[in-house]
Amino acid sequence: MFRSLEDFVSVWERETAQTTKLLRHLTDESLSQQVAPNHFTLEKLGIHLSQAITFMMSSAGLDLAPLEERESYNAKDIATLYQQTAEGFVRVLQEQWSDEKLLETTTFFGSETTYGSILLLLLQHQTHHRGQMTVLMRQAGLTVPGMVGPSREEWAAMKG
């Protein structure tokens, strides 16, 4: 749970930089990769990361504009959409919420929780889908950048 906006924004900026780095490794050819039929593709997961920011935080009471719906995206569009959504969210969060708000309780998707805990949940959700994406990226033959420490390729290059 977060008790200050400053603490959350510090973590959010670090984590969104990592997510943006991951998304920038996608290629147009990799976007159809999925773990099994009828599961999210890399394209859908990438878009979902942006949609979830808007959906979850609007559900928590922030006044965020819904994302433009499109039929399909290319890899560059997905990374750009995510970065713009993540940055816009922080601006709105800082305008509309306070440190005191983070300690207040609310009902969020049927459970009683604090607004500070909702921010933690948003980060956990993002991390969960980033992990899924790294597996799909490997299946698609892409190099995966390190997220929490070096990736396999980065580690091998460091060992030299």
Side-chain angles (χ1 to χ4, degrees):
M1 174 177 114
F2 288 93
R3 297 180 183 275
S4 80
L5 289 174
E6 181 180 336
D7 287 349
F8 171 75
V9 170
S10 174
V11 174
W12 180 255
E13 289 175 346
R14 185 176 60 247
E15 291 300 311
T16 57
Q18 292 294 81
T19 302
T20 300
K21 180 172 76 169
L22 183 74
L23 293 172
R24 290 182 197 271
H25 277 74
L26 296 176
T27 62
D28 291 342
E29 298 75 29
S30 70
L31 295 180
S32 63
Q33 184 68 44
Q34 57 187 6
V35 71
N38 301 316
H39 286 258
F40 271 175
T41 62
L42 273 173
E43 176 188 21
K44 295 296 183 194
L45 279 169
I47 295 164
H48 177 69
L49 288 173
S50 296
Q51 290 171 330
I53 294 168
T54 303
F55 177 74
M56 289 175 69
M57 298 316 297
S58 293
S59 297
L62 281 178
D63 186 18
L64 293 168
L67 298 180
E68 167 194 340
E69 292 291 327
R70 289 178 32 189
E71 191 65 30
S72 65
Y73 293 79
N74 66 37
K76 183 179 178 193
D77 290 343
I78 292 169
T80 301
L81 175 66
Y82 173 78
Q83 187 172 19
Q84 291 172 346
T85 303
E87 290 170 359
F89 154 63
V90 166
R91 282 192 300 276
V92 171
L93 176 71
Q94 291 174 317
E95 291 168 4
Q96 295 180 16
W97 285 10
S98 64
D99 290 349
E100 293 75 26
K101 176 84 170 176
L102 301 184
L103 302 176
E104 294 176 18
T105 59
T106 187
T107 302
F108 187 70
F109 298 123
S111 295
E112 193 76 15
T113 190
T114 64
Y115 287 95
S117 294
I118 293 169
L119 295 176
L120 178 60
L121 179 62
L122 179 66
L123 283 164
Q124 291 170 328
H125 179 263
Q126 176 177 258
T127 302
H128 163 71
H129 288 306
R130 249 183 8 207
Q132 290 178 317
M133 291 183 78
T134 62
V135 171
L136 295 178
M137 289 170 74
R138 288 236 182 257
Q139 289 177 336
L142 299 178
T143 300
V144 175
M147 292 287 101
V148 183
S151 68
R152 180 181 191 183
E153 293 83 1
E154 292 166 340
W155 186 255
M158 289 169 36
K159 288 176 125 180

